[in-house]
Amino acid sequence: MFMFSRSICCAKLNQLSTFETLFSNLKLRPYATPLIGPLQTCESRIYSREKAEYANVNWDELGFALTKTDYMYVMNFTEEEQKFFNGTLTRFGNIEMCPSSGILNYGQGLFEGLKAYRKEDEGILLFRPQENALRMKIGADRMCMPSPTVDQFIDAVKKTVLANKRWVPPYGRGSLYVRPLLMGTGRNLGVKPSSDYTFLVYASPVGNYHKGDLNLMVEDNVRRAIPGGTGGIKAVTNYSPVYKPLTEAKAKGFSDLLFLDASTGSNIEEGSACNIFILKGNVISTPTTHGTILPGITRKSIMEIASDFGYQVEERAIPIKEVFDAEEIFCTGTAMVVKSVASITYQGKRIEYKLGVETLAQKLHATLTGIQTGLIEDKLGWTMLID
């Protein structure tokens, strides 16, 4: 009996040795790490976090520009299947599509933007990804496109971030900007919705969108959006039409433009890629999103935080003349987060505003980023731990 037991023991040891050899020779892709290695216990995986691996990046020099990462996520919708299916991670790189595709010929496309943040303990948090998924569905309906389900959207974002987690900046030194795209990619010469679609997610580490003071110029001639148009969704066609006036404004030393409404030309709406707020006393006002203004997720979050601070927050039409006597003005957006406006110039008149650590914008920024990075307890369920 003793000899029999010893034989079994030796056989098991030989088998374990074989498994260890197999694991040591197995070349796994970076995102395909086994949950428990051959010599790890469940307890060591649950109660300890491995030290994060980081890409070779000067995190302190990050701006808002593309840094090529390792992987992107691609999922297709076909006329035959009539659903999105078989999403996969693939190496980040160029994509191929037909010259007659809907996105190239008719601009049938949407995008989203959200961020992944590193916590102090090196865990990774997403901020309100379900809101981006829902906004994409609303935009897709307006553009006559199918869209991924909320679960498919979030799963794609998670996989993209985890596959590129070495590109998530260290705590407090930036974030990983995630860009989901929905594109009409079927062959289509006529003016009609595409037959096939591609949902693609890529990511890039980023720093501040505007590093200096934010000086706005009111655009008095070009309108960003019109009633009944697509200003309230993230259609790809919303952005390039403002390149010309924006380029001209930057040549004059301004950071961005502030657009007026198309109906009257007398009410403020938003910047080229941000929402705007004005502060007077205990009242914070922001333009109503009535189809020409993007309902920003950062905007929505700041409105809730400001209400918790005790401010009266209102959405309404804001005449341009009200910027002349505002105590403080700030902008919000996924890329910008929250940033004080240093000045607004309208028809040659420049108005300057309060800046610094005592501003409401700074307090809102500190609270929002504290929640996003796990420094402040998330009592609203906005963050999602994915690592």
Side-chain angles (χ1 to χ4, degrees):
M1 181 68 180
F2 172 74
M3 292 296 294
F4 180 68
S5 299
R6 188 173 62 177
S7 297
I8 292 175
C9 182
C10 290
K12 293 293 184 183
L13 286 171
N14 289 335
Q15 188 180 37
L16 177 59
S17 178
T18 301
F19 285 150
E20 290 180 13
T21 302
L22 284 171
F23 271 106
S24 65
N25 292 330
L26 187 61
K27 294 182 178 179
L28 294 171
R29 289 179 290 183
Y31 57 85
T33 306
L35 290 177
I36 301 176
L39 297 180
Q40 282 182 302
T41 65
C42 292
E43 288 81 3
S44 67
R45 292 293 292 180
I46 292 172
Y47 296 111
S48 66
R49 183 184 296 280
E50 295 178 3
K51 187 171 178 60
E53 174 195 357
Y54 290 102
N56 184 20
V57 173
N58 185 345
W59 305 112
D60 298 321
E61 295 298 320
L62 280 178
F64 198 87
L66 178 68
T67 297
K68 292 182 180 179
T69 52
D70 298 323
Y71 296 95
M72 60 186 185
Y73 183 94
V74 180
M75 182 167 58
N76 294 306
F77 175 104
T78 65
E79 190 172 25
E80 295 76 21
E81 291 286 340
Q82 286 295 302
K83 65 179 180 180
F84 282 97
F85 65 99
N86 294 343
T88 58
L89 284 164
T90 184
R91 279 286 182 181
F92 179 87
N94 295 338
I95 60 175
E96 183 178 297
M97 66 178 67
C98 179
S100 70
S101 63
I103 182 68
L104 295 180
N105 289 257
Y106 304 112
Q108 193 186 22
L110 296 162
F111 73 89
E112 276 296 328
L114 64 158
K115 288 178 176 177
Y117 296 86
R118 186 79 68 173
K119 298 173 62 184
E120 280 188 305
D121 67 0
E122 298 190 321
I124 298 172
L125 291 172
L126 292 177
F127 184 71
R128 308 190 79 171
Q130 65 281 0
E131 294 288 334
N132 296 91
L134 291 170
R135 190 169 64 180
M136 176 168 274
K137 291 184 74 67
I138 292 170
D141 182 67
R142 173 65 179 84
M143 299 289 284
C144 206
M145 305 169 73
S147 63
T149 66
V150 171
D151 287 343
Q152 285 177 321
F153 182 101
I154 293 176
D155 180 64
V157 169
K158 283 182 179 180
K159 287 177 177 175
T160 304
V161 172
L162 291 176
N164 295 295
K165 65 181 180 179
R166 71 192 189 99
W167 298 94
V168 181
Y171 170 78
R173 298 171 73 184
S175 58
L176 185 72
Y177 183 84
V178 184
R179 172 61 61 83
L181 292 167
L182 181 59
M183 305 173 286
T185 48
R187 300 176 181 179
N188 201 20
L189 190 60
V191 181
K192 61 180 182 180
S194 183
S195 56
D196 299 340
Y197 297 86
T198 297
F199 176 64
L200 185 152
V201 185
Y202 69 92
S204 173
V206 296
N208 293 330
Y209 191 72
H210 288 291
K211 289 193 174 183
D213 288 343
L214 187 57
N215 296 295
L216 305 181
M217 184 186 82
V218 177
E219 174 52 54
D220 213 9
N221 298 308
V222 176
R223 302 293 181 251
R224 179 188 174 275
I226 60 172
T230 59
I233 62 172
K234 287 190 76 71
V236 298
T237 50
N238 287 351
Y239 295 86
S240 57
V242 307
Y243 287 173
K244 188 175 189 297
L246 181 59
T247 300
E248 292 171 351
K250 288 188 174 182
K252 296 175 182 177
F254 295 100
S255 313
D256 202 348
L257 292 171
L258 177 58
F259 290 93
L260 302 176
D261 72 301
S263 298
T264 69
S266 61
N267 297 321
I268 64 173
E269 290 213 320
E270 61 180 337
S272 61
C274 59
N275 296 118
I276 191 164
F277 291 79
I278 70 171
L279 172 66
K280 291 183 180 182
N282 195 53
V283 180
I284 300 171
S285 303
T286 189
T288 306
T289 57
H290 46 57
T292 58
I293 297 173
L294 185 73
I297 294 163
T298 306
R299 171 187 181 273
K300 181 179 180 179
S301 305
I302 286 300
M303 290 172 69
E304 294 185 52
I305 293 171
S307 293
D308 288 344
F309 280 0
Y311 287 90
Q312 178 185 332
V313 181
E314 57 183 28
E315 297 177 84
R316 61 179 177 86
I318 303 176
I320 181 62
K321 63 184 180 181
E322 289 196 28
V323 306
F324 297 146
D325 58 359
E327 296 171 28
E328 188 180 331
I329 294 184
F330 56 91
C331 292
T332 65
T334 298
M336 185 176 293
V337 191
V338 184
K339 190 171 179 68
S340 294
V341 173
S343 73
I344 291 179
T345 299
Y346 177 56
Q347 296 181 345
K349 181 178 180 180
R350 178 185 171 99
I351 310 100
E352 297 185 348
Y353 304 98
K354 180 171 63 175
L355 301 175
V357 295
E358 296 303 317
T359 60
L360 173 61
Q362 285 291 334
K363 295 172 185 176
L364 292 169
H365 182 278
T367 302
L368 180 62
T369 55
I371 294 170
Q372 290 171 331
T373 59
L375 188 64
I376 294 175
E377 182 184 359
D378 176 17
K379 297 180 180 179
L380 299 168
W382 286 349
T383 58
M384 180 180 291
L385 182 65
I386 63 168
D387 183 37

